[in-house]
């Protein structure tokens, strides 16, 4: 819901998780994520258990993490204010398929292919710890900073 984006009291960067499970796909705005380690290159992302993205992640165990830049607030709001159960949020994004089948976003600072290594249940959320397998970045966005919650 939008209140998590515009009503947050903790300043943080904003990204998008894109997941595809069979013919179903979804894009969800997230603000709780971080790199875990350089070796092995890995990250974590926290997803609420009631979200459509959570269901798809449990099924596919793979996702793309997109780092958004400061001018991509409309993408963050579009992917964070409606449910993917009711609306195909991916249809409005400029996505392309990477050679390994992951969906990447044109124009983001970076898109990173991730495979879930471990799930850690935390009550209403699950912490998905994932290996970062491959990535692509937009050199035209070079010098642009990450989108932050206060930009929304």
């Amino acid at each position: 819901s939008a209140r998590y984006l515009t009503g947050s009291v903790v300043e943080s960067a904003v990204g998008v998780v894109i997941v595809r499970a069979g013919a179903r796909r979804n894009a969800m705005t997230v603000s709780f994520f971080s790199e875990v380690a350089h070796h092995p290159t890995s990250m974590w992302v926290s997803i609420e258990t009631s979200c459509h993205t959570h269901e798809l992640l449990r099924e596919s165990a793979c996702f793309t993490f997109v780092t958004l830049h400061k001018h991509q607030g409309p993408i963050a709001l579009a992917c964070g204010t409606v449910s993917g159960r009711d609306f195909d949020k991916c249809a409005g994004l400029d996505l392309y398929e990477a050679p390994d089948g992951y969906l990447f976003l044109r124009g983001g600072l970076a898109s990173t292919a991730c495979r879930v290594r471990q799930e850690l249940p935390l009550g209403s959320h699950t912490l998905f710890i994932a290996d970062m397998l491959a990535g692509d970045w937009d050199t035209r966005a070079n010098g642009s900073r990450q989108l932050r919650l206060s930009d929304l």
Side-chain angles (χ1 to χ4, degrees):
S1 104
R3 68 186 167 88
Y4 290 113
L5 299 176
T6 58
S8 178
V9 295
V10 178
E11 178 70 295
S12 63
V14 178
V16 172
V17 168
I18 301 170
V19 61
R20 178 167 51 185
R24 300 179 305 155
R25 62 189 187 165
N26 193 43
M28 178 182 159
T29 303
V30 294
S31 62
F32 288 104
F33 59 88
S34 181
E35 184 177 6
V36 172
H38 292 300
H39 301 287
T41 308
S42 52
M43 71 173 296
W44 64 265
V45 62
S46 178
I47 306 291
E48 187 174 348
T49 57
S50 65
C51 291
H52 185 52
T53 297
H54 189 277
E55 177 184 325
L56 297 178
L57 265 173
R58 300 282 319 274
E59 184 178 328
S60 73
C62 295
F63 64 94
T64 301
F65 181 79
V66 180
T67 305
L68 298 176
H69 62 71
K70 66 181 177 180
H71 301 294
Q72 292 179 310
I75 291 174
L77 290 171
C79 292
T81 56
V82 297
S83 172
R85 287 185 181 96
D86 305 321
F87 182 77
D88 182 2
K89 295 183 273 186
C90 291
L93 300 175
D94 189 7
L95 299 177
Y96 64 98
E97 189 169 330
D100 51 7
Y102 287 85
L103 297 174
F104 284 3
L105 176 68
R106 280 188 186 83
L109 284 176
S111 291
T112 307
C114 301
R115 182 178 50 238
V116 175
R117 169 192 290 241
Q118 183 178 357
E119 296 179 25
L120 181 61
L122 298 171
S124 64
H125 286 70
T126 298
L127 195 69
F128 291 92
I129 302 166
D131 294 319
M132 299 166 74
L133 307 174
D136 193 11
W137 61 92
D138 188 341
T139 57
R140 294 169 296 170
N142 195 9
S144 186
R145 70 167 170 78
Q146 283 184 313
L147 178 68
R148 297 182 191 136
L149 284 170
S150 60
D151 295 325
L152 300 177

